[in-house]
Amino acid sequence: MSDFRDRLMLSRRSALTVLAVGAAGVTAAACSSDNKSGDSAQGSKAPSDPDATVSYSPPLDTPDASPIVEVSVKVADGVLNPDVQLTNANGRVVTGVMSEDRTSFTVTEPLGYGGQYTWSGSATGNDRRPVPVAGTFSTVTPENQIGLVVNLADGQEVGVATPLILTFDEVVTDKKAVEQALKVTTTPETEGSWAWLGEDGGSRVHWRTKDYYQPGTKVSMVAKLYGLDHGDGYYGEADVTSDFVIGRNQVVIADADSHQIVVQNDGNTLMTLPCSYGEGDLDRNVTRSGIHVVSEKHEDFYMSNPAAGYFNVRERFAVRISNNGEFIHANPDTVGVQGSSNVTNGCINLSLENAEQYFATAMYGDPVEVTNTRIPLSEEDGDIYDWIYDWETWKSMSALAGEPDVKSAPATPKDAPDVSGIPTTPQNSGSRQTPVG
């Protein structure tokens, strides 16, 4: 009985030993397999990259980006988070808008010249892994900036021959680029064209219609010049706009042989006034033939003409029709010959009563059509000589029709009267967008 019990216990111990060895063998085999696989992965496989890919416009680290190009950040295979923003060097957040699908964020205000801008925020990929939005770029620092003056004030009512004039304070060498940035809209639609005229310290570009405007026409001009390279390292100082309206259709018919002027409104005679034109004995005393444009008027104006021997003579109800010293104004000294003889130094003289009557109706941009004198109006007779050109010639002076043959013409000829006065027409420097500096 004891011998049987001893053999039974020996059998149990042997079985347990076998099981223990078997289990250890299985465990060892499993561990050996795991270790072998782990060693191989650590030697050849790197962590996977996030799904989301972020791109920037302009590219990061750009040193001289234009402040008017598209500025944006975009993500592929993911979305941008609400914390995305662009800030300037002072920490000011630049205004921008997120797309509905949150794949792009675009800046909506102009940047400043010579500034550094910083992206910040994050994106989330389709794999739910975050990707930073970060980096900087800088905008161009212009060597020089060009500003301009517009001849018309916003909301001004003007005559049917009015040209829109942009006068730059420096010479524009890339006229094509600048002209492409100018847009004129008219209601009703009116055919017109830009033309580059004489340069005197700066460039001038005029927009003129083919024919006189229709009364009531609304005109709007937008010049997207800020950030635009004008050539030779000059960039636009600001965007400029001008909005004006055309008034009644008044034309002055000025036939020198008739010794009178006829003021017409929509083709109907408003008044016929006896006058005296330039004597014509000397070139400087010839009233120029051609379409003049009223540019300013003064109830009192002090005129000087050294060549004719008079200085600071007070004249009443003076309406300027060119910058060479030609006015329609009152002159009591010539009343005796007004209506019968031409004796002036080039102006059109009226009686005091008639001058005041005409003065009350005159408006900037009215055409004064002078005929039958021996010298035509030319580019040497001031700033507004636009109507001396036929339509095809005018269009050829557009930079977009080929580089024009720009002549350097003085604003006032050397022998013109030395006149002084304060223009009644306000000058509009244009509306400006304030960039983010």
Side-chain angles (χ1 to χ4, degrees):
M1 188 72 175
S2 175
D3 183 54
F4 173 77
R5 192 180 299 113
D6 291 342
R7 286 198 302 273
L8 180 59
M9 293 180 66
L10 178 62
S11 298
R12 287 177 177 175
R13 285 197 299 269
S14 299
L16 289 170
T17 301
V18 171
L19 287 171
V21 171
V26 171
T27 302
C31 290
S32 174
S33 174
D34 282 350
N35 288 339
K36 184 176 180 180
S37 175
D39 291 344
S40 174
Q42 290 173 8
S44 62
K45 185 177 181 183
S48 61
D49 294 329
D51 284 351
T53 302
V54 177
S55 60
Y56 303 85
S57 178
L60 295 182
D61 300 322
T62 297
D64 55 358
S66 168
I68 58 173
V69 297
E70 179 183 292
V71 178
S72 64
V73 60
K74 299 179 181 180
V75 63
D77 299 321
V79 294
L80 296 173
N81 295 323
D83 61 349
V84 170
Q85 63 182 18
L86 183 71
T87 55
N88 67 7
N90 296 322
R92 181 187 182 281
V93 177
V94 182
T95 304
V97 62
M98 184 81 75
S99 64
E100 291 186 5
D101 60 4
R102 291 173 54 196
T103 60
S104 67
F105 178 89
T106 304
V107 168
T108 56
E109 61 179 314
L111 303 185
Y113 286 126
Q116 184 179 74
Y117 294 86
T118 302
W119 286 109
S120 62
S122 61
T124 301
N126 295 337
D127 58 358
R128 299 183 180 276
R129 296 172 64 182
V131 174
V133 173
T136 64
F137 67 92
S138 298
T139 52
V140 66
T141 301
E143 295 179 18
N144 297 283
Q145 295 184 41
I146 295 183
L148 62 83
V149 174
V150 183
N151 64 318
L152 302 174
D154 277 339
Q156 187 173 351
E157 184 177 338
V158 295
V160 295
T162 300
L164 177 62
I165 303 173
L166 308 186
T167 304
F168 296 84
D169 56 22
E170 299 287 348
V171 173
V172 174
T173 55
D174 194 347
K175 292 179 171 62
K176 287 185 178 180
V178 170
E179 191 172 329
Q180 286 172 338
L182 307 178
K183 181 179 180 181
V184 176
T185 304
T186 57
T187 307
E189 186 174 347
T190 306
E191 185 176 1
S193 175
W194 291 101
W196 294 83
L197 303 183
E199 295 178 344
D200 185 13
S203 296
R204 287 190 296 130
V205 63
H206 294 210
W207 197 86
R208 196 205 91 186
T209 50
K210 179 181 180 180
D211 302 304
Y212 296 156
Y213 282 106
Q214 294 182 35
T217 300
K218 295 181 180 179
V219 186
S220 178
M221 185 277 297
V222 176
K224 301 291 288 184
L225 299 176
Y226 174 75
L228 180 68
D229 187 349
H230 290 40
D232 292 341
Y234 285 83
Y235 282 76
E237 184 178 82
D239 290 341
V240 178
T241 63
S242 179
D243 297 277
F244 57 96
V245 64
I246 306 303
R248 76 288 177 274
N249 178 18
Q250 179 165 301
V251 180
V252 176
I253 307 300
D255 180 356
D257 286 346
S258 71
H259 309 300
Q260 64 183 21
I261 60 171
V262 179
V263 183
Q264 295 184 338
N265 191 310
D266 286 325
N268 300 313
T269 298
L270 190 63
M271 61 188 81
T272 300
L273 307 174
C275 68
S276 180
Y277 293 85
E279 184 175 5
D281 55 334
L282 301 173
D283 288 354
R284 61 178 172 81
N285 292 335
V286 176
T287 306
R288 300 324 196 223
S289 285
I291 298 175
H292 298 62
V293 177
V294 171
S295 58
E296 60 185 83
K297 64 179 186 177
H298 309 273
E299 288 190 22
D300 292 279
F301 197 86
Y302 288 84
M303 296 187 183
S304 297
N305 189 340
Y310 62 85
F311 301 88
N312 294 325
V313 176
R314 182 192 182 207
E315 304 291 1
R316 302 296 313 283
F317 304 111
V319 177
R320 184 190 290 277
I321 60 173
S322 80
N323 273 2
N324 68 356
E326 291 176 307
F327 287 79
I328 300 175
H329 67 91
N331 189 348
D333 292 341
T334 64
V335 168
V337 297
Q338 289 172 14
S340 61
S341 181
N342 296 327
V343 300
T344 79
N345 295 118
C347 291
I348 300 175
N349 286 179
L350 301 172
S351 69
L352 184 63
E353 180 183 0
N354 288 341
E356 183 177 9
Q357 183 181 0
Y358 167 65
F359 181 92
T361 70
M363 177 185 292
Y364 184 98
D366 285 345
V368 177
E369 301 176 349
V370 179
T371 56
N372 290 319
T373 69
R374 64 182 179 83
I375 299 179
L377 187 71
S378 73
E379 65 272 12
E380 295 184 352
D381 291 310
D383 293 334
I384 305 179
Y385 49 87
D386 301 40
W387 295 95
I388 70 173
Y389 300 105
D390 63 64
W391 184 237
E392 293 305 315
T393 301
W394 180 262
K395 289 192 299 180
S396 73
M397 296 161 65
S398 161
L400 301 183
E403 291 294 339
D405 180 18
V406 179
K407 296 174 62 177
S408 180
T412 305
K414 295 178 181 178
D415 59 351
D418 179 14
V419 296
S420 60
I422 302 174
T424 57
T425 302
Q427 292 182 325
N428 175 25
S429 59
S431 64
R432 298 165 182 254
Q433 295 187 32
T434 302
V436 182

